[in-house]
Amino acid sequence: MPVDERQRLEALTRSGLLDTAPEPDFDDIVRLAAESCGTPIALISLLDRERQWFKANVGLEGVEETDRNISFCTHAIEGESLFLVEDARADVRFATNPLVQGFPFIRFYAGAPIQTEDGYNLGTLCVIDPRPRTLSDSQRHILLGLKRQVELLLRLRAQMQKMREHNEELERTQEKMRLLNATLEAEMRERQRVETRLREKQALLRSILTHIPYSVFWKDRNSAYLGANPQFARDMGVASPAELLGKTDLELPLPRELAEKYRQDDAAVMESGVPRLSFEEPLRLLGAKEDSWVLTSKVPLKNEDGSVRGMVGIYADISERRRQEAALREAKSLLERYAASLEAQVREAHERNNYLMENSGEAVFMLHEDGRVLHVNPVAERLLGISEERLRGTVLESLCLENERETLRQALRELLACGTVRLENQGLRSATGERVVLSITASLQVTGTQRRMLLVGRDVTEKWRLEQQFIQNERLASMGALAAGIAHEINNPTAYVLSNLTYLQECRDELEATLSAMPGLPPRVGETLAEVKDILSESLTGGRRIRDIVRDMRFFSHTAGEEVAPVDLHACLDVVLRMAHAELKHTARVEKHYASVLPLVPASEGRLSQVLLNLVINAAHAMRSGTPEHNHLRVSTGVEGDWVRIDIADTGTGIPPEVLPHIFEPFFTTKPAGAGTGLGLSISQSIIQKMGGEIRVRSELGRGTTFVLLLPVNGRGTSEPVHD
């Protein structure tokens, strides 16, 4: 950058050339420069702070500017003579320049600095050729001459600009003169208007003083009256304000002590020069039955030099207002005593409510009208396993399972509308994820503008669980009885069908033996006998299969109920797998890994079969049907100390981690509506726990799930089973 770069840029700005439209005078010069020097490109380039901008352009149509840091003109403005580059590729300053390596592929450059009258180089008149070359002496003289023409145009533009500015200044001066004349005329009119307005105000002031319901007076430095309004004259018992002129308070029908006090107040205001505003004082005329009270203000009257020449006073009779204020104070006192009594009653009610909340045997929730928890009692904290501090500010419906939130939300809306509501079997989720069931009675508490919702909930979780389990047990018992009846009805016809098929097979064998001894037996007879043999064999196999299924159904639904007896777990598992065969054959391959020796376990065989069948069917549903070659159901048994262990593992989709803690909750299911009740695992866990055992589960998404059943060998384990 040149040393005087800041001044140069200011001169460029003053020229007014940057970013202006093309002008014929400059365009003619660059065309003449290109023709005279025999180059395809000629430019008038102006160098701004970060760019070079083309005022006139021949040969670079569509290009208005380039970066300054790669421009040739940056070098050209450093001197005052012609800057010449005959072959840019051979010049170390420009060999790698983007304008040399790329468009417009500059090889030859000649630039003459364009200088202002005060000596600043604004840019160049330059010619460019994509071929290396030089300029003749005449071409150089022409280029320099054209450069001077550009400078002449710049000076002419500057002179024209100065003339325009001078003309504008003259116009502004003339406008100021016109405005000044208009202002003087306006001031004269305003003065006339003010004088008229002043006379109107004086008339208005006299009218106000005459008619306002306040007493006004003004005095000189000796407290002698200079004037007053008619109201003050009437207060003093005289016919007109003129009768007061020149008199003092001592000469009016006032008690002497009050007259002296008024004079002292006047003197204090006039000596200090400070107004005394809105103070109450008595006014008692001689012969009056009682004092009047007035609200008085006194203000000093000052000359133009600020000296005090008197004072003006105004007062209003406030006797009636003081009587009303006294009555109001009495009423306020009564109201305050009544409010204190009400506050004590409210405080007592709050204390009683707090005592009931803290000592109630039922869960109590105090909610804001938007459903946020404000306060809970210890019973609610214990049921949910969540402290009041954590519950405070929580929206109560967020503690519900998703499918129960709308019920609570609707009930709270009804509570705000009606004042009371009852809600049966409302579920809330505890800190451990368990469902706590409450029977809720709610009421709306209104204190002033505040509305609170009080919910009292009785814990009916166990009752509800027993009711649901009883309903499920009744359903299962009905299904078991139905299955037993169906099995009994199928068993008899199956028995005689198998008997007849066995008899037919024996007859076919005897017939075949008899015919084989006869000579000349037709081949077709032998083939028919073979086909009949195969048909009878398949029929017997199918019949036995029906018989086994019926036997398994009778075994599963037998009426032993909850009776506990030694159970062969392997036989029980075989029955369950046969019953689930139809569900498994299109889904997975079954792998059985039974322990070589497994002790009998005291259990309810029907109930245990119910649990095992539920786990096997769940495993089948977790795997994709139609691909048994890729899915495996592994059933294994073993002994761990005093415990017998059964593992049922599938290669299904697995259970998400956020779902796993809830799978044993009643009515929790991930199946679509209508595809499951969500009670199977809950009931299964209850059955196993009643047998002294437990169910464990581990799962991995995309890898499968394993359910582990642990049953005590002697009805009660004496040591902890191995933990997975």
Side-chain angles (χ1 to χ4, degrees):
M1 292 291 180
V3 175
D4 59 350
E5 178 64 7
R6 184 176 62 80
Q7 294 89 342
R8 190 193 71 80
L9 290 173
E10 291 175 355
L12 177 60
T13 301
R14 287 195 302 272
S15 72
L17 286 174
L18 279 176
D19 299 314
T20 57
E23 299 180 36
D25 293 339
F26 293 107
D27 293 342
D28 291 343
I29 291 174
V30 294
R31 277 194 294 271
L32 186 57
E35 292 173 1
S36 301
C37 297
T39 60
I41 302 171
L43 306 166
I44 293 178
S45 174
L46 301 175
L47 290 176
D48 200 358
R49 188 181 304 277
E50 296 179 352
R51 59 172 180 157
Q52 68 169 352
W53 180 77
F54 304 136
K55 173 60 181 175
N57 181 338
V58 169
L60 284 180
E61 285 74 11
V63 180
E64 295 182 352
E65 60 183 46
T66 64
D67 289 341
R68 175 175 173 171
N69 59 0
I70 62 172
S71 69
F72 283 63
C73 295
T74 301
H75 299 269
I77 66 170
E78 293 179 358
E80 297 182 0
S81 60
L82 185 67
F83 181 75
L84 190 65
V85 179
E86 295 180 346
D87 188 353
R89 290 188 180 177
D91 192 321
V92 295
R93 293 172 298 176
F94 305 106
T96 60
N97 191 297
L99 300 176
V100 175
Q101 296 292 327
F103 181 80
F105 304 100
I106 299 174
R107 295 290 295 278
F108 169 76
Y109 173 88
I114 299 172
Q115 198 172 71
T116 63
E117 282 187 304
D118 46 2
Y120 294 110
N121 293 338
L122 304 184
T124 65
L125 170 65
C126 62
V127 292
I128 298 172
D129 201 322
R131 298 176 301 170
R133 54 171 298 171
T134 188
L135 294 178
S136 65
D137 290 340
S138 63
Q139 289 173 326
R140 296 186 186 198
H141 288 310
I142 291 171
L143 187 60
L144 290 173
L146 292 173
K147 183 266 294 191
R148 287 191 290 276
Q149 291 299 313
V150 175
E151 292 173 343
L152 179 59
L153 285 174
L154 291 180
R155 286 194 290 276
L156 290 174
R157 285 174 62 94
Q159 292 173 2
M160 290 292 291
Q161 180 65 24
K162 287 181 180 178
M163 290 179 65
R164 282 194 295 269
E165 291 175 355
H166 181 67
N167 290 336
E168 290 173 358
E169 182 63 27
L170 286 176
E171 291 177 358
R172 286 194 293 271
T173 302
Q174 292 175 353
E175 181 63 23
K176 288 180 180 178
M177 291 298 294
R178 286 193 297 271
L179 291 175
L180 180 58
N181 290 333
T183 301
L184 290 174
E185 292 177 358
E187 287 181 353
M188 292 179 64
R189 289 193 299 270
E190 179 63 18
R191 181 173 180 178
Q192 294 172 354
R193 189 188 66 81
V194 168
E195 290 177 350
T196 301
R197 186 67 174 165
L198 182 58
R199 288 192 295 270
E200 292 174 352
K201 286 186 176 179
Q202 289 175 342
L204 177 63
L205 180 59
R206 284 193 296 271
S207 176
I208 291 173
L209 288 174
T210 301
H211 297 96
I212 61 172
Y214 301 106
S215 300
V216 183
F217 57 90
W218 50 99
K219 302 177 181 179
D220 62 14
R221 290 283 299 183
N222 297 318
S223 288
Y225 286 97
L226 295 174
N229 71 342
Q231 179 64 44
F232 181 78
R234 287 192 293 272
D235 290 347
M236 295 298 108
V238 297
S240 69
E243 298 182 29
L244 297 172
L245 299 181
K247 294 182 178 180
T248 66
D249 292 325
L250 295 173
E251 300 174 77
L252 296 180
L254 296 170
R256 187 170 186 83
E257 64 274 14
L258 281 181
E260 290 290 349
K261 181 180 182 305
Y262 295 158
R263 288 171 60 83
Q264 291 173 5
D265 291 343
D266 296 344
V269 170
M270 288 186 285
E271 291 297 330
S272 67
V274 177
R276 187 182 180 197
L277 305 175
S278 300
F279 61 94
E280 296 182 6
E281 61 181 352
L283 175 62
R284 184 169 71 250
L285 297 177
L286 291 175
K289 294 182 179 180
E290 60 180 8
D291 289 348
S292 297
W293 283 87
V294 294
L295 184 66
T296 304
S297 293
K298 294 183 177 181
V299 179
L301 288 174
K302 295 183 179 181
N303 298 312
E304 291 183 0
D305 60 359
S307 60
V308 177
R309 61 185 178 89
M311 55 81 59
V312 61
I314 182 171
Y315 64 80
D317 190 340
I318 59 171
S319 302
E320 182 61 27
R321 193 190 76 180
R322 285 174 64 90
R323 285 191 291 271
Q324 292 176 355
E325 287 177 350
L328 183 62
R329 284 193 296 271
E330 180 63 25
K332 182 180 177 182
S333 175
L334 290 174
L335 184 61
E336 287 175 349
R337 290 196 295 271
Y338 181 67
S341 174
L342 287 180
E343 184 177 352
Q345 294 177 23
V346 170
R347 186 165 54 251
E348 182 182 349
H350 279 301
E351 291 174 355
R352 185 166 58 253
N353 285 341
N354 290 337
Y355 176 82
L356 291 174
M357 286 188 68
E358 296 298 327
N359 298 279
S360 173
E362 298 177 340
V364 180
F365 300 84
M366 182 66 76
L367 308 182
H368 190 271
E369 63 179 319
D370 62 5
R372 290 180 291 109
V373 175
L374 298 175
H375 181 50
V376 298
N377 70 341
V379 177
E381 290 182 286
R382 186 183 70 254
L383 285 178
L384 297 177
I386 306 174
S387 67
E388 181 182 16
E389 183 178 358
R390 286 178 54 198
L391 285 171
R392 192 177 295 119
T394 302
V395 178
L396 185 63
E397 68 180 59
S398 66
L399 299 176
C400 303
L401 297 176
E402 187 66 34
N403 59 347
E404 294 185 274
R405 291 182 181 178
E406 182 56 33
T407 303
L408 179 59
R409 191 180 300 126
Q410 182 63 35
L412 294 182
R413 284 198 293 264
E414 184 179 346
L415 175 59
L416 290 173
C418 302
T420 60
V421 72
R422 287 186 61 83
L423 192 59
E424 299 294 339
N425 296 333
Q426 174 62 48
L428 298 179
R429 186 173 55 245
S430 70
T432 59
E434 297 179 356
R435 183 173 183 265
V436 177
V437 184
L438 300 176
S439 175
I440 296 176
T441 301
S443 61
L444 186 63
Q445 308 289 309
V446 180
T447 303
T449 59
Q450 291 185 343
R451 297 199 302 170
R452 299 289 185 263
M453 295 184 286
L454 178 65
L455 278 65
V456 179
R458 181 165 52 89
D459 182 14
V460 294
T461 305
E462 188 60 29
K463 175 186 175 184
W464 173 84
R465 184 179 291 115
L466 292 174
E467 288 175 351
Q468 297 302 317
Q469 186 169 342
F470 176 77
I471 293 171
Q472 184 67 9
N473 289 343
E474 287 293 314
R475 291 175 181 171
L476 291 174
S478 299
M479 292 174 62
L482 179 61
I486 293 173
H488 178 74
E489 293 298 327
I490 294 175
N491 189 55
N492 291 334
T494 301
Y496 60 72
V497 168
L498 285 174
S499 176
N500 291 339
L501 286 173
T502 303
Y503 175 72
L504 287 174
Q505 188 177 44
E506 292 173 355
C507 291
R508 191 214 68 82
D509 293 341
E510 292 177 3
L511 180 60
E512 183 181 23
T514 302
L515 293 176
S516 61
M518 297 175 62
L521 184 67
R524 177 59 184 161
V525 174
E527 294 173 359
T528 301
L529 288 174
E531 291 176 0
V532 171
K533 181 178 181 180
D534 293 339
I535 291 171
L536 289 173
S537 178
E538 291 176 359
S539 298
L540 282 169
T541 300
R544 293 188 185 102
R545 173 63 180 155
I546 293 173
R547 181 192 61 195
D548 292 342
I549 291 173
V550 171
R551 185 178 64 246
D552 291 343
M553 287 177 63
R554 295 181 67 187
F555 167 78
F556 181 72
S557 61
H558 73 286
T559 57
E562 302 290 344
E563 294 178 2
V564 175
V567 176
D568 183 346
L569 293 182
H570 288 165
C572 189
L573 282 168
D574 289 340
V575 170
V576 168
L577 291 173
R578 283 198 300 271
M579 294 187 68
H581 175 71
E583 194 76 36
L584 292 170
K585 65 181 179 180
H586 298 299
T587 303
R589 289 184 296 168
V590 179
E591 298 178 2
K592 295 194 292 187
H593 298 272
Y594 289 173
S596 57
V597 177
L598 195 69
L600 299 178
V601 174
S604 169
E605 191 169 11
R607 292 299 191 190
L608 184 58
S609 299
Q610 174 186 343
V611 173
L612 295 172
L613 182 60
N614 182 59
L615 295 179
V616 169
I617 295 301
N618 283 350
H621 289 170
M623 295 181 284
R624 189 172 61 181
S625 179
T627 57
E629 64 276 7
H630 300 302
N631 297 325
H632 302 275
L633 177 67
R634 179 187 176 94
V635 181
S636 57
T637 61
V639 179
E640 295 182 359
D642 296 334
W643 301 82
V644 173
R645 172 174 176 154
I646 303 172
D647 288 23
I648 299 175
D650 64 65
T651 56
T653 57
I655 303 173
E658 67 273 12
V659 172
L660 198 60
H662 305 293
I663 61 174
F664 291 108
E665 294 178 5
F667 295 102
F668 180 84
T669 179
T670 58
K671 295 178 182 179
T677 64
L679 284 171
L681 287 176
S682 174
I683 292 175
S684 297
Q685 184 185 53
S686 176
I687 291 172
I688 295 302
Q689 288 174 346
K690 287 181 179 179
M691 296 180 187
E694 61 177 288
I695 300 180
R696 299 173 184 167
V697 60
R698 61 178 183 271
S699 184
E700 185 177 351
L701 278 177
R703 299 291 297 274
T705 303
T706 300
F707 280 89
V708 179
L709 271 69
L710 293 163
L711 294 169
V713 175
N714 299 316
R716 182 180 62 187
T718 58
S719 61
E720 286 293 324
V722 177
H723 287 271
D724 297 295

